[in-house]
Amino acid sequence: MRDIIIINKVNGLDVICRHCGNSESPKNPFFNRFRLEGTGKNSVTIRCLNCQTAVETPMNELSSLYYHYAC
C-alpha cells in the first residue's frame, strides 16, 4: 500500500499522506504541505513536509504543470 495517495480531480488533485493524515487540494502548482523533489525521466518524488514520508510516483499521475515546478 502506498503511503501517499494522489487522487486526480477535474480541477486539480488531492494529495493525502496515510502515515500522518496530512492532506492538501492545491488550486495551483504550489504545494503548502507537500514537496515535489528531483524528478527522473518519467517519475517524481512527493514528500510530506509533516512526517517526511516520501513516495515515488509516475509522471502521468501529475499534470505537466506540476512537472515544470518539480524540475
Side-chain angles (χ1 to χ4, degrees), residues 10-27:
V10 174
N11 294 325
L13 50 90
D14 286 336
V15 183
I16 303 165
C17 178
R18 286 188 176 180
H19 189 259
C20 69
N22 198 11
S23 65
E24 185 171 7
S25 297
K27 302 293 185 220

Side-chain angles (χ1 to χ4, degrees), residues 4-61:
I4 296 178
I5 303 169
I6 300 169
I7 303 169
N8 290 306
K9 300 187 311 185
V10 174
N11 294 325
L13 50 90
D14 286 336
V15 183
I16 303 165
C17 178
R18 286 188 176 180
H19 189 259
C20 69
N22 198 11
S23 65
E24 185 171 7
S25 297
K27 302 293 185 220
N28 58 41
F30 299 106
F31 289 100
N32 292 324
R33 298 181 179 124
F34 294 89
R35 180 174 59 213
L36 295 177
E37 295 182 342
T39 59
K41 193 171 190 177
N42 294 315
S43 65
V44 63
T45 301
I46 299 175
R47 182 173 304 277
C48 174
L49 295 176
N50 190 34
C51 67
Q52 299 300 313
T53 300
V55 66
E56 188 171 318
T57 186
M59 279 303 300
N60 63 3
E61 289 192 30

